[in-house]
Amino acid sequence: MVGRSKYKAFRGIKEKVWQKLNGWKNQFLSFPGKEVLLKAVVQAIPTCHMSVFKLHVKLCKELAGMMARFWWGHMQNDKKTRLPKDRDGLGFRNLECFNQAMLAKQCWRILSNPSSLIAKVLKEKYFRNSDLLEPRLGYRPSLIWRSIRGALDLLKDDVEGGKW
């Protein structure tokens, strides 16, 4: 159940990430090892939630900060191990943008498969007499609908222009 505080509702994600990172911090991992753990495990933890809900910006920034602190090292003799400057662009996700992309993907699924269960349920509840591209927010909308509707702008121009 998601209440008024969206940040508190999803803080369990942050706790899971914290547990994973704390479990690894006492191990001597190489930079490629850290990279694989961050990309394959830590960035995968919020993916399921991000495909349905718009996560709070503060939560996304805190998750990115936790990953950055883990990446840049642990205190070893009061010095942090650092990656050489010539190794930029490691491909860590911008979690806010990834969240928007996952929600836009849900919009795309609703548009391309109107006979799916989620498309039928949302259409009946929120846009019964209109199209997904022109929905109203409705009375007491769910967080799922608010999240998906918020990502609709990413697809609107392409769909209306006939690019899909």
Side-chain angles (χ1 to χ4, degrees), residues 105-121 132 164:
K105 184 177 180 180
Q106 291 298 344
C107 291
W108 177 259
R109 285 181 179 158
I110 292 168
L111 283 169
S112 62
N113 191 2
S115 62
S116 68
L117 181 61
I118 188 68
K120 289 179 181 179
V121 168
L132 175 66
W164 69 289

Side-chain angles (χ1 to χ4, degrees), residues 20-40:
K20 291 287 184 191
L21 294 178
N22 270 342
W24 298 328
K25 82 176 182 184
N26 292 328
Q27 298 180 15
F28 296 104
L29 298 171
S30 64
F31 283 112
K34 285 183 179 184
E35 181 181 357
V36 168
L37 287 173
L38 287 173
K39 287 181 179 179

